[in-house]
Amino acid sequence: EVQLVESGGGLVQPGGSLRLSCAASGITFKNYWMTWVRQAPGKGLEWVATIKQDGDNKYYVDSVKGRFTVSRDNAKNSQYLQMNSLRVEDTAVYFCAGGWGWFWDSWGQGTPVTVSS
Amino acid sequence: DIVMTQSPDSLAVSLGERATINCRSSQSILSSSDNKNYLVWYQQKPGQPPKLLISWASTRESGVPERFTGSGSGTDFTLTISSLQPEDVAVYYCQQCHSSPLTFGGGTKVEIK
């Protein structure tokens, strides 16, 4: 059974930082493209970042470029999202997702991030 | 950026009746290299993550009931639930996977009438 478990969310002040983690099991992690998708309260889905299998190719939505960094550790079956210079509009549930390309058949339950003073 | 527009925003359908959700992309998401439409559909129930239902516009994922059908090509796509069941109450999203930035439609909330 595939499991993706996010952690690291919480309350942070504007301008602060958080590091999200996603631990995977039940999949051959090194073969998966891994992604972060977020959902603001009561809103729709927004793609945030994707990292390919080798970790060298990374893609971001414009609104987080230069502030967020996606990474992975295939030896630990984990991916990460380092979020710096957080803004109020970054408040959302952040989902870890995995798949074979630009869409995702495995999802975690999400971790909430609240940016507020 | 490719803009995905879903309609309607919400719909209420009687049990056993058909539900139809539309999704339009601002440019064609049909690839000329492999003749595939780079469009997927997700279902999201309250308090849950999205679930992949359909890929490549019309390929049902393993375990997805046959009452879910995806169709369309180019810029216009449809998700049809042929006979609505109580467990189908959810928000449905289309997503283009043709080019970055990946973008979702705004979602369609399906309820029981």
Side-chain angles (χ1 to χ4, degrees), chain A residues 35 37 39 43-47 50 59-62 95 102-105 107-110, chain B residues 1 40 42 44 47-52 55-56 61 93 95-97 100-102 104 106:
Chain A
T35 288
V37 172
Q39 188 167 36
K43 301 297 184 182
L45 302 170
E46 181 184 32
W47 169 72
T50 293
Y59 307 85
Y60 301 93
V61 68
D62 280 352
F95 293 102
W102 295 111
F103 59 91
W104 315 289
D105 57 2
W107 293 72
Q109 290 297 313
Chain B
D1 297 4
V40 301
Y42 298 94
Q44 187 179 31
Q48 295 187 20
K51 174 187 174 183
L52 180 65
S55 57
W56 310 119
E61 293 297 299
Y93 295 93
Q95 178 223 326
Q96 64 84 13
C97 46
S100 182
L102 309 174
F104 292 88

Side-chain angles (χ1 to χ4, degrees), chain A residues 47-77:
Chain A
W47 169 72
V48 175
T50 293
I51 184 168
K52 287 190 176 181
Q53 298 98 318
D54 59 9
D56 290 336
N57 293 285
K58 306 175 184 181
Y59 307 85
Y60 301 93
V61 68
D62 280 352
S63 61
V64 309
K65 282 181 184 174
R67 300 189 299 124
F68 290 13
T69 302
V70 63
S71 61
R72 65 190 294 162
D73 185 337
N74 287 344
K76 294 183 177 180
N77 288 350

Side-chain angles (χ1 to χ4, degrees), chain B residues 53-70:
Chain B
L53 290 180
I54 288 173
S55 57
W56 310 119
S58 60
T59 302
R60 204 179 295 114
E61 293 297 299
S62 175
V64 173
E66 291 185 0
R67 63 181 179 272
F68 291 92
T69 301

